[in-house]
Amino acid sequence: MAFVRIMVLIWADMLATYVTWIMQKYLTDVWDVGFTRAAGIMNVYTGLSKTVPLFLFLFVDCGMDNFWILLVSSIAFSTGLGFLSMSTPPVLHKLTHTCSDYQPNCIGHTQKALLYTGLVLTAVGVSGHIVSLVAFALDQLQRKPVDDNANYDRPQNLIGHPVRLAQMILNQGKTDADSSTALVPPASVTEYRRQQPTNTLEENLSKLQFQPLEAMLKLVNSQKERNGGTIKDWRVWGIMFVLIVAAGVLIGLPYIKPWKLRFGIPAICTLVATLAFSLCAHKYEDSKLGAVIRLRTQSEERQVLIRMLPIWITCIICGVVTSIGNTYFVEQANHMNYQVGILKFPDSILLMLYAAAKKFFKWVYDCVSNCLERAGRKKYAPAFGIALATIFSALSCVIAAIVETQRIHVIRNHGLSDKPDEEIPMTVFILVPQFLLLGGMDSFYENSVTPFLNDQSPPSMKRYLIYLSPGLSGLGIIGSVLSVYVVGEISKKGGKTSWFQHDLNNSRLDYYYWVLAGLSTANLIWYVVMAILFPFPYRQPVSRDTQADGTGKSGPNEGQNINGTVISFFKANEGIL
């Protein structure tokens, strides 16, 4: 039951994704904030949610328990979403002596303070969940006993295994006579499974660190395999309840009109999840403490870091393009037609298509990686993925510029330039290609950068790479605020009208998209040139023991071929055992 109480915390992550998706529309429609300023606010929030995890991980790495990081971040999550709901005019209008309408003149200083504070707290909540949610759930599952009665009803099949195992060990011992480590067999198969190394599982989960739902479902599947292919009925019903509630809320929220309920329902769900998690704290096992990393900056490692700076620049520019997804793309979709025939789709349809594109292109990247692995060239997969990310970023900006030019023509032909609140006679699904390409860019980036940095980075940095690559993207997202300001200032030189006006209908966002397309093209050329001039040495992945001690030396268990034989033996006979 403890795992279900942990998994219920994904309500906060799923609902916060939708809340931040519609925040751009809320700021421009209700607050009457200029679309560039609204985009700047949301880009700072998104950038913080990607950079703060690296700093929170430092606390975990210095010994702070994952439980406390998770508890504090969950409280910040529920408080932040609550503040966002309270920032809407109808909630506190009696206390602040303001009107209760969703109009700009009903927004006072109190509402502004609540909104900005709520966004900061929500960013802290997202960051804390990224660092500790999956790690804490994995730790709790590892400490639970394996079901000894699961699929062990055929003991006669185990009779021949000790002899086969002994033969494998003796044969291995002949080829590795210098090995000084003796084999201590586990007391039983069940005891051995409790001692199974989880490096592979942790590496797979690390790739999903920023996708909590997929990571938690993978944990459920791993626990099912650990228990011999079975899982308790009550846990299945609990997991189904968590997913059904989250899906139901996400489906229903777009059809709710009052903004106080759009923000308030996620706040209530997050509060319930936080209470369910915290009230049963006594049932959780003590979480593992992080091992302190001693960063070493030897001469060779400093040279590697310096040579990686050009790739960091590539990552930051990709972050600049990522920033337009939940800001300017969403603003383009505002007031477009969501109806197809008799069906009217919710405003979250583009978010779902974007998420589906990310999953599809992740599958594409995995296929490419597997093909390269069969050809003995797997080390080139991350570099190839980064190149694809830069190509997709340029294509997304080009398509977005063409669509925006067409949208401006429709607005002018129908005389809607001075009517920003009127519906535009143009289907919203014309924006689908740019969302799909942006999803491809983000997918290739997320799946390529961390493995690339892991191959090239010094051992002392490897544990931080999960958070470094999103952090670089976060810097680019925050830096996009500066890019908009610089482009706006340059565009109005010589007495010309700035490309960025108060509302989107009178702006030339298509010109800015062309600038980003040129920047992405230059980024691709930069990446290719740097890859040719400064080829990176391929490093074999370092074990977690090596990462933990911060050195490049082999850990005490590395190279022990006898123990490796035992693991291979049990994996080969897992279906029987």
Side-chain angles (χ1 to χ4, degrees):
M1 197 66 181
F3 178 79
V4 177
R5 296 191 185 99
I6 298 172
M7 188 173 181
V8 77
L9 293 176
I10 66 172
W11 284 354
D13 298 277
M14 297 175 68
L15 297 177
T17 300
Y18 176 74
V19 168
T20 55
W21 179 265
I22 62 175
M23 186 60 67
Q24 174 84 15
K25 181 178 180 181
Y26 172 71
L27 291 174
T28 54
D29 289 358
V30 178
W31 285 42
D32 196 26
V33 174
F35 78 99
T36 54
R37 182 185 172 191
I41 294 172
M42 294 312 302
N43 285 334
V44 171
Y45 161 80
T46 306
L48 286 176
S49 65
K50 288 180 175 289
T51 54
V52 171
L54 178 60
F55 297 98
L56 290 182
F57 181 71
L58 295 177
F59 288 98
V60 176
D61 218 29
C62 291
M64 181 174 287
D65 200 304
N66 277 315
F67 170 78
W68 294 110
I69 293 287
L70 198 54
L71 179 62
V72 172
S73 62
S74 297
I75 294 174
F77 229 141
S78 55
T79 305
L81 292 177
F83 281 0
L84 292 181
S85 177
M86 294 168 64
S87 69
T88 57
V91 178
L92 297 177
H93 72 281
K94 293 183 179 179
L95 294 177
T96 58
H97 303 290
T98 55
C99 54
S100 60
D101 298 328
Y102 291 107
Q103 298 294 334
N105 58 339
C106 298
I107 305 296
H109 295 292
T110 303
Q111 284 82 1
K112 294 180 180 179
L114 287 172
L115 179 84
Y116 297 138
T117 306
L119 287 175
V120 172
L121 290 175
T122 304
V124 172
V126 171
S127 303
H129 279 203
I130 288 172
V131 172
S132 297
L133 179 57
V134 177
F136 184 73
L138 175 63
D139 184 62
Q140 296 300 306
L141 284 181
Q142 289 176 351
R143 291 166 182 263
K144 295 298 179 183
V146 179
D147 187 359
D148 296 347
N149 298 322
N151 289 349
Y152 298 114
D153 54 347
R154 294 184 294 172
Q156 65 274 13
N157 291 335
L158 299 176
I159 295 177
H161 286 351
V163 177
R164 292 168 57 193
L165 178 59
Q167 290 175 348
M168 293 177 65
I169 294 173
L170 290 176
N171 293 335
Q172 186 70 25
K174 292 178 182 179
T175 58
D176 297 310
D178 296 335
S179 178
S180 60
T181 303
L183 171 67
V184 180
S188 64
V189 174
T190 301
E191 181 63 25
Y192 173 79
R193 287 194 173 189
R194 289 194 182 101
Q195 298 174 359
Q196 280 264 24
T198 57
N199 289 2
T200 303
L201 176 61
E202 292 185 17
E203 289 175 3
N204 292 335
L205 289 175
S206 68
K207 299 176 183 179
L208 301 174
Q209 198 81 4
F210 287 75
Q211 304 171 36
L213 177 59
E214 293 185 13
M216 298 298 278
L217 292 178
K218 192 172 187 66
L219 275 176
V220 173
N221 186 59
S222 68
Q223 181 69 1
K224 178 181 177 181
E225 295 177 353
R226 187 167 177 256
N227 285 335
T230 61
I231 189 170
K232 295 180 179 179
D233 291 338
W234 60 263
R235 181 171 290 175
V236 173
W237 286 109
I239 294 171
M240 290 180 61
F241 170 77
V242 171
L243 296 179
I244 290 174
V245 170
V249 174
L250 287 174
I251 293 173
L253 278 178
Y255 297 99
I256 298 176
K257 297 302 180 182
W259 286 100
K260 67 176 182 180
L261 295 181
R262 279 193 172 188
F263 295 153
I265 292 175
I268 294 173
C269 293
T270 304
L271 179 61
V272 171
T274 302
L275 291 176
F277 171 75
S278 59
L279 291 178
C280 300
H282 62 284
K283 296 186 179 181
Y284 302 126
E285 301 286 346
D286 292 338
S287 180
K288 296 177 182 177
L289 298 180
V292 178
I293 298 296
R294 295 175 176 85
L295 292 176
R296 301 187 312 130
T297 55
Q298 301 296 333
S299 175
E300 180 182 356
E301 295 185 347
R302 284 197 296 268
Q303 293 178 6
V304 173
L305 290 177
I306 292 174
R307 295 174 69 179
M308 288 176 63
L309 288 178
I311 304 302
W312 291 11
I313 295 175
T314 297
C315 298
I316 292 174
I317 295 177
C318 286
V320 174
V321 178
T322 299
S323 68
I324 63 180
N326 65 340
T327 53
Y328 298 125
F329 282 8
V330 174
E331 188 65 25
Q332 281 181 281
N334 198 8
H335 302 300
M336 276 190 172
N337 184 15
Y338 281 85
Q339 192 164 349
V340 177
I342 60 174
L343 296 178
K344 186 173 184 179
F345 291 89
D347 55 6
S348 59
I349 183 64
L350 295 175
L351 176 61
M352 291 186 285
L353 292 175
Y354 166 81
K358 289 185 66 175
K359 293 183 182 296
F360 172 76
F361 287 109
K362 180 182 184 299
W363 174 79
V364 171
Y365 175 80
D366 291 338
C367 291
V368 172
S369 180
N370 292 334
C371 291
L372 291 175
E373 182 178 13
R374 287 193 294 269
R377 296 289 187 269
K378 186 178 181 180
K379 63 181 181 180
Y380 298 115
F384 183 70
I386 295 175
L388 286 178
T390 57
I391 293 173
F392 271 63
S393 67
L395 291 177
S396 178
C397 293
V398 169
I399 297 299
I402 295 174
V403 172
E404 177 62 14
T405 302
Q406 184 177 354
R407 195 187 72 91
I408 291 174
H409 289 329
V410 171
I411 289 173
R412 291 178 177 176
N413 291 337
H414 289 78
L416 300 177
S417 298
D418 297 326
K419 301 176 181 179
D421 296 330
E422 295 291 330
E423 182 175 306
I424 302 172
M426 192 174 183
T427 178
V428 75
F429 293 99
I430 197 174
L431 302 176
V432 169
Q434 65 194 58
F435 274 98
L436 297 182
L437 290 170
L438 186 68
M441 187 209 76
D442 289 339
S443 181
F444 285 125
Y445 177 88
E446 293 171 1
N447 290 284
S448 303
V449 174
T450 298
F452 181 85
L453 296 178
N454 184 68
D455 290 341
Q456 316 301 334
S457 297
S460 58
M461 287 187 60
K462 290 185 180 294
R463 289 189 59 174
Y464 298 93
L465 295 180
I466 299 174
Y467 310 101
L468 178 60
S469 57
L472 294 173
S473 177
L475 290 177
I477 293 174
I478 296 175
S480 66
V481 179
L482 178 62
S483 72
V484 170
Y485 173 78
V486 172
V487 171
E489 291 296 317
I490 295 176
S491 66
K492 65 181 182 182
K493 281 189 175 182
K496 299 179 181 178
T497 304
S498 174
W499 292 351
F500 302 105
Q501 298 299 312
H502 181 76
D503 58 81
L504 189 60
N505 288 0
N506 292 307
S507 301
R508 293 311 305 255
L509 189 60
D510 53 337
Y511 293 165
Y512 179 64
Y513 286 155
W514 284 116
V515 171
L516 291 183
L519 182 63
S520 298
T521 304
N523 188 32
L524 174 61
I525 298 173
W526 168 268
Y527 173 73
V528 173
V529 171
M530 290 299 105
I532 295 174
L533 295 180
F534 303 102
F536 293 96
Y538 176 70
R539 301 170 185 265
Q540 292 295 334
V542 180
S543 65
R544 291 185 65 84
D545 292 336
T546 306
Q547 296 175 24
D549 107 328
T551 68
K553 301 178 181 179
S554 299
N557 295 326
E558 191 173 355
Q560 296 175 5
N561 296 324
I562 293 181
N563 287 343
T565 303
V566 178
I567 295 173
S568 301
F569 171 81
F570 277 103
K571 285 184 177 180
N573 297 275
E574 186 174 5
I576 299 177
L577 295 178

